[in-house]
C-alpha cells in the first residue's frame, strides 16, 4: 500500500509517505514555505494544505498522485460537534469544519491526478496515537497516551496497541484540556500561543510552585483515566505580561506551578493506563508530549519500564500516524521509525553547485568532522548542515548550531546569535557510550525529549548546557545511526577531553529551521556564525570572504 498522510486543519501542516508499512519520507510545510509552523491555528487558515511537503514526499519515492492507494487526513469532521456544545469559545469553528469536509476536493486540486475518493478521514487522536504506537521500536504490545489542545471533541486519548490493532480505552471530552490550559498561560505570559509553550516550560525552572495548591482547584485528575482542566483565572495569580516586557518572579512562579500540576496529572493518567494494560512500554504523542520535563517525570516515577516519545509529537506527527494507521488496517506491517531524519537532502555535487551559484569561497577538507571539531575546540560557532532534515521541532545533528560546552558565555552568545530570550537553555549532544557517566535520566535519548540531571563533577566542565536547575535536555548519539556526528564528537573529545557539544537548532528567532542549502547560506550570511559545514564543504567567515576560488 502506498499511503500519503496529511495534517492540515489546525497547525504545523505536514505530509508523510508510507509504502508497504515503511516510512519513506515526512516533512513539515514550514520548511518549504518558510512560515513558522506553516500557518496560524485559526479557522480562516484551515483550508491551507501542505502542498509543497506532499509533492516532495511523492517525488522522493518517484510516485505520482494517481499512484497512491489512499490519502489519510488526520481529522474526521463526522466526529466533531459545534464549538459551543463542546464548551469552547470559537465562533468561527464551523468554518474549520466546512474546510475539513471539503478536504478531498482541495487535495485533488493541490495534487493533480489524485482521485478525491481515495481520501480517508482518520480521527485526530487515533492518528496521534498511531504515530507513537506504530512508529516506536519494540512496541508491538504497548500503551499509548495522547494529550494536546483539541481534536474533534476530545483533548486526550488513552489506548493500547496489540499487534496491528489500536484499541481506544478512554478519551477526555472538551472543554477540559491540558493543552489548552497551557496555551492560555502561554498567551498570559506574553508569548505566542500554539507556538511558544516550550518557553513557559523553560521559565518554570526559574520559579517556585507557590500557587500550586490554588491551581489544583482547576486542574486535577479524576481518578478514572480523565481529568478536569478549564477556566483557570490566570489573572488572579499574576499580572499579564506584554510581549516586550521583562518577566518577573511572579510570572516564573506561576509557570512553575502550571508545570507541576501538569506533571501530577500526567502521572495519574499514566498510572491509570498501566493499571488497565499492565504493559511495560508507554508511547507518548500529542503536543503536550513535547514537554520534556513532564516526560522525564513519567519515565522516572511512572509504572512503565520504558517510555518512548514521538519526535514529531505535535500535530505534524499526525500525518505519519494517520498513514501508519491505514497501513496497519490494510494488512501492512508498520515498521518502526529508523530516525527523525525523514526530510530533504542533497548530494555533494548538488551542494557544491549551490555554493558556486552563491559565489561564496569554500573548501573541501579531508574530513569535515575533524575540521568542525577543530573549530569548536577554538570556540567557534558552527552551522552544521548534513544529510536529511529532521521531522519535528528538534535539531538532531542534521540542521544544528554547534558550540563549545565548556565556556559558560556560549549560552548567552548562542541566544544572541538566534535573537531569543536569555532564559532559554541550549542542549548537549553526547556520545551514547559516554552519556551515563555525565547525565542521569532515560537512556538512550536520541530525540532530545527528556531532561537529565547533570552529574555534579561535570557541571563546571560543561556549564553552557547546564540549565539553572542543574539539568540538561540531552541527545545521545549512536555511531551506528549517526556516524558523521559521532566522529565529530570523538574528534572534539580528543582535542578537549569533553565528549559533549552544544547543539541547538539552525535558525533564528521566529524562523523555521534551515532546510535547504539556500536557507543555510542565508542564515550563515545574516548571523555571527564562524563556520558553515554543509555536506563535505566548509565556508568560513572572515579572511575567506575575499576574492578567491571555491572548492
Amino acid at each position: 500500500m502506498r499511503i500519503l498522510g496529511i495534517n492540515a486543519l489546525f497547525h504545523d501542516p505536514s505530509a508523510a509517505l508510507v509504502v508497504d508499512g515503511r516510512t519513506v519520507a515526512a516533512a513539515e510545510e514550514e520548511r518549504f514555505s518558510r512560515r513558522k509552523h506553516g500557518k496560524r491555528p485559526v479557522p480562516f487558515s484551515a483550508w491551507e494544505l501542505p502542498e509543497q511537503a506532499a509533492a516532495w514526499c511523492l517525488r522522493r519515492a518517484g510516485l505520482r498522485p494517481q499512484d497512491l492507494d489512499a490519502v489519510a487526513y488526520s481529522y474526521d469532521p463526522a466526529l466533531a460537534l459545534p464549538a459551543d456544545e463542546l464548551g469552547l469559545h470559537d465562533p468561527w469553528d464551523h468554518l474549520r469544519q466546512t474546510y475539513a469536509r471539503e478536504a478531498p476536493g482541495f487535495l485533488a486540486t493541490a495534487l493533480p491526478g489524485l482521485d478525491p475518493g481515495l481520501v480517508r478521514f482518520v480521527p485526530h487522536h487515533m492518528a496521534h496515537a498511531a504515530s507513537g504506537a506504530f512508529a516506536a521500536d519494540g512496541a508491538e504490545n504497548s500503551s499509548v497516551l495522547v494529550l494536546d489542545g483539541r481534536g474533534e471533541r476530545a483533548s486526550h486519548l488513552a489506548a493500547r496497541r496489540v499487534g496491528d490493532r489500536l484499541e481506544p480505552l478512554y478519551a477526555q471530552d472538551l472543554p477540559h484540556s491540558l493543552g489548552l490550559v497551557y496555551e492560555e498561560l502561554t498567551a498570559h505570559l506574553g508569548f505566542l500561543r500554539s507556538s511558544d509553550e516550550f518557553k513557559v516550560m523553560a521559565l518554570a525552572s526559574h520559579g517556585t510552585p507557590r500557587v500550586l495548591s490554588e491551581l489544583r482547584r482547576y486542574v486535577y485528575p479524576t481518578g478514572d483515566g480523565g481529568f478536569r482542566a478549564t477556566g483557570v483565572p490566570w489573572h488572579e495569580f499574576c499580572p499579564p505580561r506584554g510581549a516586550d516586557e521583562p518577566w518577573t518572579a511572579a510570572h516564573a512562579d506561576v509557570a512553575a506551578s502550571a508545570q507541576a500540576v501538569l506533571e501530577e496529572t500526567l502521572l495519574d493518567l499514566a498510572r491509570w493506563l498501566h493499571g488497565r494494560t499492565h504493559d511495560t512500554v508507554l508511547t507518548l504523542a500529542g503536543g503536550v508530549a513535547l514537554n520534556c520535563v513532564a516526560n522525564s517525570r513519567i519515565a522516572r516515577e511512572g509504572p512503565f519500564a520504558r517510555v518512548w516519545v514521538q519526535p514529531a509529537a505535535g500535530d505534524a506527527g499526525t500525518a505519519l500516524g494517520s498513514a501508519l494507521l491505514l497501513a496497519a488496517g490494510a494488512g501492512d506491517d508498520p515498521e518502526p521509525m529508523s530516525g527523525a531524519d525523514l526530510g530533504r537532502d542533497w548530494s555533494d555535487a548538488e551542494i557544491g553547485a549551490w555554493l558556486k551559484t552563491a559565489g561564496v569561497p569554500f573548501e573541501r577538507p579531508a574530513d569535515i568532522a575533524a575540521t568542525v571539531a577543530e573549530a569548536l575546540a577554538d570556540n567557534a560557532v558552527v552551522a552544521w548542515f548534513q544529510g536529511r532534515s529532521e521531522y519535528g521541532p528538534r535539531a538532531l545533528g542534521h540542521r544544528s548550531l554547534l558550540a563549545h560546552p565548556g565556556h559558560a558565555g556560549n549560552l548567552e552568545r548562542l541566544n544572541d546569535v538566534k535573537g531569543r530570550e536569555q532564559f532559554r537553555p541550549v542542549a548537549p549532544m553526547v556520545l551514547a557510550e559516554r552519556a551515563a557517566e555525565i547525565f542521569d535520566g532515560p537512556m538512550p535519548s536520541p530525540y532530545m525529549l527528556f531532561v537529565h540531571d547533570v552529574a555534579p563533577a561535570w557541571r563546571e566542565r560543561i556549564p553552557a548546557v547546564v540549565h539553572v536547575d542543574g539539568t540538561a535536555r540531552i541527545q545521545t548519539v549512536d555511531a551506528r545511526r549517526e556516524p558523521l556526528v559521532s566522529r565529530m564528537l570523538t574528534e572534539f573529545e580528543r582535542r578537549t577531553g569533553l565528549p559533549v557539544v552544544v547543539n541547538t537548532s539552525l535558525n533564528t528567532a521566529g524562523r523555521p529551521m534551515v532546510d535547504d542549502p539556500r536557507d543555510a547560506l542565508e542564515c550563515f550570511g545574516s548571523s555571527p556564525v564562524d563556520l558553515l559545514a554543509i555536506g563535505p564543504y566548509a565556508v568560513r567567515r572572515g579572511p575567506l570572504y575575499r576574492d578567491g576560488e571555491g572548492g
Side-chain angles (χ1 to χ4, degrees), residues 28-48:
E28 295 163 72
E29 187 73 3
E30 68 163 20
R31 310 296 169 84
F32 300 83
S33 69
R34 310 310 299 160
R35 294 167 60 196
K36 187 72 171 174
H37 296 295
K39 61 181 182 181
R40 291 299 299 146
V42 295
F44 305 99
S45 71
W47 63 271
E48 296 184 45

Side-chain angles (χ1 to χ4, degrees), residues 20 81 170 174 266 390 400 417 449 455 514 550:
D20 298 331
L81 293 173
Y170 191 97
L174 294 164
L266 293 178
E390 297 93 342
S400 293
V417 167
L449 284 164
V514 159

